[in-house]
Structure formats: C-alpha cells, structure tokens
Amino acid sequence: GTHCSTTRQSARRRCRAAAAAQESQLASSAMGKMKNMDKPWEDDSVDHWKPEAFAQGDMAGPLLEESSFAVLFPAYREKYLREVWPQVTSALKEQGVACQLDLIEGSMTVSTTRKTWDPYIILKARDLIKLLARSVHLQQALKALQDDVFSDVIKERAASAAAGPVHSVSSHLEP
C-alpha cells in the first residue's frame, strides 16, 4: 500500500488517489489473468444453442400431478372435430396424453397420464386443441406437437388497436 504520514488535506487527496490507482491496477491485472484462462463454455466445437432432445426414457418416474387444459370450440367446428377426433386421440396417445371431446359442452380437454413421458407435451397438446378450435386443419395443427414448432394465437382486435390496421393475417405452422 501507499504510506501517508502528512495530515494536510492535499496530501490526503494525493494519498487516496494513489491508493485507488494501485487498487485499480491490481484489479485489472487480475482481470487480465482471467481473460487468458481457458473457459469450457467458449468451446467452438459445441453448439450451445442447440436444444437437447428429450427421449422417452429421460424422465426418472411418472409426473407427480395431473395437468389438464380445456378449450371451448364453436358449434360449426363440431362436425369436423367429430370426424378427426380418432386421429387426434391416437396422436396424443403416442405421447401419453389423454384427450376428451365433449360435444354437449362444446369443449376439448387434454390431460397428462401416468404414461406421459415428456413434461412439456401437455403445453404442446394445449396448443393443438387451441388450433383445432380456431379452424386450423388437423394436419397443420398436429405440427404443434413437434419440438421445433411453436404456435401462437394473435387476437386481431388487440393487434390492430396497437399497430394500426391489419390488411392480411396468415397463420402457418412451419418450422
């Protein structure tokens, strides 16, 4: 450190400035050493943004709680949903998700089961039934179950109020 023996104000200021400069120099030299160290997360051979696949045996045990989502659908979708519901059921059964079509209430429900092996699939299943309720064809809506595909429903009234008039809105589920 720096030795300060005088009691005058200007000498104290100089002493403090010298001590601060010395501390700054020590800190910068320590940072210089850190910059030159090998960092495993800076390995260029590893793609850190690549999502890791989740396989059927990755989860140690069954889910502890049941999760479920229900979505209402308009009456004009009833006929189409009744036709395609067996395909929806088989696609969700592969993932360990149960589904129910209630024509009296006009609702679709998806829920996890003891056989559900992917904890995120319930959210994907929710997106699937939301898309089916919004007049998206089954083959397009089934793409929502894929890991690299995401879907979102944008309410046109809210979007047009915030951004001005909307001339054309198209929704495509493509990776």
Side-chain angles (χ1 to χ4, degrees):
T2 305
H3 185 285
C4 298
S5 61
T6 179
T7 58
R8 291 182 18 194
Q9 292 266 343
S10 61
R12 284 186 184 166
R13 277 191 228 125
R14 283 194 306 262
C15 185
R16 287 187 195 132
Q22 193 173 24
E23 286 177 18
S24 173
Q25 185 179 14
L26 286 173
S28 67
S29 69
M31 288 300 289
K33 289 179 187 175
M34 291 297 290
K35 285 182 183 177
N36 295 334
M37 290 178 64
D38 287 337
K39 298 171 190 73
W41 57 86
E42 290 183 354
D43 185 7
D44 291 334
S45 66
V46 178
D47 183 8
H48 297 287
W49 293 100
K50 180 183 175 193
E52 293 184 28
F54 196 85
Q56 192 160 355
D58 288 348
M59 198 162 65
L63 298 172
L64 299 177
E65 295 287 330
E66 179 185 288
S67 299
S68 64
F69 292 98
V71 173
L72 299 175
F73 61 87
Y76 68 87
R77 292 294 289 168
E78 181 179 327
K79 181 182 176 202
Y80 178 74
L81 289 173
R82 206 175 325 134
E83 291 172 7
V84 299
W85 199 251
Q87 296 168 328
V88 173
T89 304
S90 66
L92 291 175
K93 189 175 183 179
E94 290 175 14
Q95 304 290 331
V97 176
C99 60
Q100 180 182 3
L101 177 65
D102 188 347
L103 298 174
I104 296 169
E105 285 187 23
S107 68
M108 296 178 278
T109 306
V110 291
S111 58
T112 56
T113 64
R114 304 248 334 137
K115 294 181 180 180
T116 304
W117 54 269
D118 182 1
Y120 193 71
I121 195 65
I122 189 63
L123 299 175
K124 295 285 201 171
R126 177 200 60 190
D127 292 345
L128 169 71
I129 61 174
K130 274 185 182 179
L131 292 169
L132 289 172
R134 297 274 183 156
S135 300
V136 175
H137 288 287
L138 176 65
Q139 295 308 314
Q140 286 292 98
L142 284 175
K143 291 181 181 180
L145 295 177
Q146 298 172 2
D147 282 338
D148 58 344
V149 178
F150 298 93
S151 67
D152 200 7
V153 175
I154 300 171
K155 295 184 179 176
E156 202 171 315
R157 289 181 188 160
S160 64
V166 176
H167 298 292
S168 78
V169 175
S170 60
S171 64
H172 297 285
L173 288 174
E174 309 227 5

